[in-house]
Every structure is written in C-alpha cells, then in structure tokens.
Amino acid sequence: MTSAFPSPVQEREPVDPTLDLEVEIQRLKEERKAVILAHYYQDSEIQDLADFVGDSFGLSRQAEKTDAEVIAFCGVHFMAETAKILNPGKKVVVPDLDAGCSLADRCPPEAFAKWLEQYPDHVVVSYINTSAAIKALSDIVCTSSNAANVVASIPADKPVVFAPDRHLGRWVERQVGRKMVLWPGFCVVHEQFTARRMLAIKRDHPDADLIAHPECEQAVLDLADFIGSTAQLIQHVRTSPKTKFIVATEMGILHQMQKARPDAELIGAPADSGCQCAVCPYMRLNTMEKLYLCLRDLAPEVTVPEEIAKRALLPVERMLAIA
Ligand code: 13P
Ligand code: SF4
C-alpha cells in the first residue's frame, strides 16, 4: 500500500534549475549501475530516456531479467513492487512513493481476505494492479495482456474469483466464456469514458478505429474495434492499414503511438465531461526532477516484507509463464 503521507523526496531542497536533467540522469544511471523502466503513461521525456518502455507484462519481464544493480521504476507503486518481488536482492527506487493506483488502493488486503472466505474452493486470479499483500493471497496474477489466457489455463470445473477490476473481469468472462466472481473495483481514469461520448466521436470520425483498454466499461468496449493492453494497442496502430484512431486509454500512450505511426491521426477519446483529459493522476506524480533525485539519493525505495514477497512470488511467476 502507498503511504498517506508525503514521501521524503517531496520535502527535499529544490533541484538546481540550471541542471541539464537528461544529462544528469544518464550520468547517475551509469554511476549507480541502474536500469530505468517506464510505463507508457509516463511523461514523454521520461519515456524517451528510459531503457525500456512497456506495459505491465513487458515491464515485469524486463524486471525479471535485468542484471542492473538498481531498478529505477517510473510507473506506479504496484509495478515497482512486482519488480521487487522478482528481485528481492536488488534496490528498487521510484521517483514518487505516493504514485499509487485506484484499483490497487481500493482493494485492501484485510477486506479482500474476509471477502475470499465466502469462496474457499475458488481459484483466486488477481490483476497485477494490486498490492503485494493481495498477490500473496492469490493463486495466479494476470495483466491486461494475458488475463484471458490466464483464466483459460484454469481447469473448467474450478470456480474462479477475479479481482479487483470488474470491467476487465467482465471482458475476460466474455473472451473465455466462463462466469467468475468479481471484486467490484474500477480505474478512475478509464471509468471516465462513456458509450454516449464514444458514439458521438465515432459519428464525427466514421473512418477511425476506436481502440480501448479493457479497463473501460463494457458499453464502451462493445463499441471498440480493438481491445488490448497498452502494448497491444500500440502494436495494433503500428500494423493497422487504418490512418485514424480514437484512443480510449490514458493519454501518455499517444507518444509511442505517434512514433510508431507518424502518418496516423490519433484522437484522444473524450471523457464523459467532454474534455480530452484522460490522465492518470498517480502516474503523473513522477517528474524528471524526482527521477533525478531518486537516482541521486537511491530513495525512496520500494520494499516488500519478506514473508509477503515470498508468498507473492509464485503467483507472479505463474503469470510470467503464461505469455
Ligand atoms: P497495461 O498493463 O495495459 O499497460 O495497463 C496498466 C494500467 O495501469 C492500465 O491502466
Ligand atoms: Fe491505476 Fe488507472 Fe492509473 Fe492504470 S490508469 S495506474 S489502473 S489509476
């Protein structure tokens, strides 16, 4: 879980404004023998200097195989925590310890454990957007890129509990043709997209593909031409013959999409309010200045209690084995 208090890094002295942060970050990265991993929802300048940019699955894979001594994780807390579970002996630092996730934060382990008591014979599948403590209570973890494969890998006669994203859970149910017990969580960013707005923007751009992340509600997904994880959405744009796309996910993704298809017109899907402002407030806590400070001071560090990390490792490894 993330702290309710400001992390120490936010109380540090201001960074010298004349510093060339890009140069300093590269220098510190070499000095610390660090690798910088970044999610597609990060600011474009952070994505541009990262060693690897990816979706949750790709980032876990990179964390699993890195030989760097330090992992500087530019994403949100559960992603860095997963990197730590996979690398208990390495130092994992983040620009801002308060960069949580609405899905992870609204699925507290005590309430989850109590809820699970109702389903003692169920296989517990948890989305990677959960705390390490939730992963430790699960049989297998999944990401948006492999959730259907993970559920399909469970014997058909076993009942399944899926947490915490109800929209992803419903989408998986339809993919796999199997009912599951769903924890009623949602993402505050994707929840802003509505079918009403999507119908209107599709009418304005009938030649565009609507592409959506499976954290969007079912009525939005029903209107989509393609649904996938952030990496899969970028791959769709890269390989599609279409030249116009309405993109229903966090706006940070547009940076790599435009690089992949400079000729394509990318339209950020509007939120229900009408604004093109689907920005994750947690992801955007990370800045170049905070990345510089975390490499300079090797803090704040992400830690996971040993007992929880040990129990969370197997469900994460099971997920990594299912591409
Ligand atoms: P991806 O694994 O598709 O990158 O999704 C992570 C996420 O937090 C989406 O909101
Ligand atoms: Fe969590 Fe939603 Fe932000 Fe993804 S976009 S990190 S699910 S709050």
Side-chain angles (χ1 to χ4, degrees), residues 91-113:
K91 201 177 260 285
V92 177
V93 292
V94 291
D96 194 316
L97 207 49
D98 293 330
C101 165
S102 58
L103 277 166
D105 293 352
R106 292 181 192 172
C107 186
E110 303 76 20
F112 188 65

Side-chain angles (χ1 to χ4, degrees), residues 76-96:
V76 289
H77 194 265
F78 74 80
M79 296 177 177
E81 230 180 19
T82 307
K84 183 67 182 176
I85 291 165
L86 289 162
N87 294 282
K90 289 192 201 300
K91 201 177 260 285
V92 177
V93 292
V94 291
D96 194 316

